């Protein structure tokens, strides 16, 4: 009797605390004063979408490159939590780091040409990461290619077409399919809808949102577009001149910004 | 020959190339840079192979040189004459009689023995070059065994042609580790690389790279489970010797466009016809 009373409330309380996936500790990478990123600290939880916002030149892409293992920081650590323990991203060997990026992580570039192999077919693009993982069955690769093209709302009948024959929005979908095909534990996206027409952007955003939810992806998303950030992110970091000036839940930050810079950013969206 | 060291190259250069060769043998399929020397022929005429041959040739060795399987092409004749002149070595066209065989584009049909060395002339040593122009990056890709792109190429072949259309310079994996370009031999010859009794050496003159397959090394041609590696096949037999198992060249015999298939390996064909002592 007493026991069940005690157990009741404890069970009813939802477990909000998700496991940590990435710990970013005092990361700096500066090209000059205020150029780059400086003293960045945050934790990314599994299943969370973290948006990094700020105006152009505020250091978002620099930070993302450091997080994604592509650019060695001047100071600080990036700790990745695996099932078998912690990895210090820049203390492990380059071989290990590249393998991580290739096999467990994914990176979606702003310009799809940076993330696609333009010289080979859509199917080969989607299949590459599977081949890198050791898939040696052509039929399986093809099936995965068609399946993923469908998931990103591309015509699977175009599996043998070159990405060059695709529109910008379609190329971005293809890049996303190519990245997600191996079900990465962690995905980095740098302005994934940048450079596209507004109507194309909206449809792509819907698709990304659906995929992120369905797959329960953990994402670090860089965008200068607060609407994109609002639609996709659980939490936000606001960057200005290389530093994080405000961090918190997306709705809180966008509905009630505390820092003057964030207030400026938000008001500039509201007053077109 | 006056004014030249034995086999043209100076002893210091030969020692340097031999050291690189030892490293290549120790790491099967790995491309070793070497400080190549200019040979008295332009790149593209087998200078990489010639530097290797010059470095391993001994005074008693018997040398054979083939080009596309034939001993009598201009290129083969001139390389053979060159070594006769600068090394005074005996030469032969008989595969079985040769100690060292320098080759471009073929592996002889006659199985090689453990005391023979095959030296390949290589135009482009880097199998990853088609996808990655940066040398630094390809070296890293080899170091990290990032070979997924090799299968991307084969995938693309099948998607486009329904089968793996690569017929020459068909990529292989050596000893389960390094992906290697076997030089532009037909894929027909790839199985001869596997567990070969003879030492195989590869020299690229322009890029100054050499690599090796030591005797009895596992060499697999890359493929897919549902599109396994296959060699070329012909419905015809050799019109001269009747062989049903050698690599055949198609030759046009008259103005009317009549054609024949004959062995690409001239020594093999002649031997089967009993025309070689
Ligand atoms: N490789 C680099 N070398 C020198 N300066 C750089 C480099 N990359 C970025 N920067 C500078 O760092 C600052 C931040 O750039 P970036 O991270 O690309 O910002 P964002 O993605 O927020 O627009 C800018 O002033 C940019 O010019
Ligand atoms: Mg940027
Ligand atoms: Zn014949």
């Amino acid at each position: 009797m007493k026991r069940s009373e005690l157990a009741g409330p404890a069970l009813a309380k939802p477990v909000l605390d998700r496991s940590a996936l990435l710990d970013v500790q005092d990361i700096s990478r500066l090209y000059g004063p205020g150029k780059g990123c400086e003293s960045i600290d945050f934790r990314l939880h599994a299943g969370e979408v973290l948006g990094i916002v700020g105006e152009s030149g505020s250091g978002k892409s620099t930070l993302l490159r450091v997080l994604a293992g592509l650019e060695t920081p001047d100071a600080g650590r990036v700790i990745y939590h695996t099932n078998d323990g912690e990895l210090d991203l820049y203390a492990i060997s380059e071989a290990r780091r590249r393998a991580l990026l290739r096999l467990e992580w994914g990176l979606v570039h702003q310009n799809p040409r940076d993330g696609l192999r333009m010289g080979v077919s859509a199917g080969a693009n989607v299949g590459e990461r599977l081949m890198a993982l050791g898939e040696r069955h052509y039929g399986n690769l093809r099936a995965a290619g068609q399946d993923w093209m469908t998931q990103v709302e591309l015509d699977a009948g175009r599996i043998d077409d070159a990405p060059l024959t695709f529109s910008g929005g379609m190329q971005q979908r293809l890049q996303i399919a190519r990245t997600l095909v191996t079900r990465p534990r962690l995905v980095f996206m740098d302005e994934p809808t940048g450079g596209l027409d507004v109507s194309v952007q909206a449809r792509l955003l819907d698709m990304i949102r659906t995929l992120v939810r369905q797959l329960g992806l953990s994402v670090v998303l860089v965008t200068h577009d607060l609407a994109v950030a609002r639609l996709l992110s659980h939490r936000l970091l606001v960057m200005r001149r290389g530093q994080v000036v405000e961090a918190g839940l997306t709705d809180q930050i966008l509905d009630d910004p505390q820092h003057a810079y964030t207030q400026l950013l938000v008001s500039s969206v509201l007053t077109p | 020959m006056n004014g030249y060291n034995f086999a043209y190259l100076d002893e210091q250069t030969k020692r340097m190339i031999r050291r690189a060769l030892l490293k290549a043998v120790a790491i099967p399929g790995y491309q070793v840079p070497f400080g190549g020397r200019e040979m008295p022929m332009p790149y593209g005429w087998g200078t990489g192979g010639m530097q290797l041959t010059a470095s391993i040739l001994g005074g008693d060795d018997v040398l054979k040189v083939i080009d596309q399987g034939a001993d009598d092409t201009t290129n083969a004749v001139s390389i053979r004459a060159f070594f006769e002149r600068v090394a005074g070595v005996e030469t032969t066209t008989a595969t079985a009689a040769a100690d060292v065989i320098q080759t471009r584009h073929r592996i002889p049909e006659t199985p090689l023995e453990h005391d023979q060395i095959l030296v390949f002339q290589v135009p482009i040593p880097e199998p990853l070059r088609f996808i990655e122009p940066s040398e630094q990056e390809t070296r890293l890709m080899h170091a990290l065994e990032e070979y997924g792109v090799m299968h991307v190429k084969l995938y693309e072949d099948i998607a486009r042609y329904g089968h793996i259309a690569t017929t020459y310079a068909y990529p292989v994996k050596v000893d389960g580790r390094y992906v290697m370009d076997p030089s532009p031999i037909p894929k027909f010859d790839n199985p001869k690389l596997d567990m070969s009794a003879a030492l195989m050496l590869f020299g690229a003159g322009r890029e100054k790279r050499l690599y090796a397959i030591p005797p009895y090394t596992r060499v697999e041609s890359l493929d897919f489970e549902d599109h396994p590696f296959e060699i070329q096949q012909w419905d015809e037999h050799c019109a001269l010797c009747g062989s049903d198992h050698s690599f055949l060249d198609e030759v046009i015999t008259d103005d009317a466009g009549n054609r024949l298939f004959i062995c690409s390996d001239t020594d093999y064909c002649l031997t089967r016809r009993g025309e070689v002592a």
Side-chain angles (χ1 to χ4, degrees), chain A residues 82-97:
Chain A
T82 73
N83 296 329
D84 328 312
E86 297 182 352
L87 289 181
D88 182 340
L89 191 57
Y90 290 96
I92 57 177
S93 68
E94 183 174 21
R96 189 84 196 275
R97 192 159 56 242

Side-chain angles (χ1 to χ4, degrees), chain B residues 238 241 263 269:
Chain B
C238 171
C241 75
C263 293
C269 197

Side-chain angles (χ1 to χ4, degrees), chain A residues 94-95 98 102 117 119-121 123-124 128 131-132 135-139 141-142 159-160, chain B residues 131 137 140-141 144-149 151-152 155-156 158-160 223-227:
Chain A
E94 183 174 21
R98 278 174 69 128
R102 194 169 74 242
R117 284 194 195 282
V120 299
S121 66
E128 178 169 347
M131 292 184 242
E135 176 59 63
R136 292 292 176 264
H137 191 282
Y138 177 79
L141 289 163
R142 230 170 147 70
I159 187 165
D160 294 331
Chain B
I131 206 100
E137 180 65 14
L140 200 56
M141 289 166 80
L144 306 181
E145 286 187 75
E146 285 183 10
Y147 290 140
V149 290
H151 275 86
V152 169
Y155 171 101
E156 201 62 3
I158 303 172
R160 236 180 253 185
D223 63 1
F224 287 107
E225 288 156 18
D226 47 346
H227 285 267

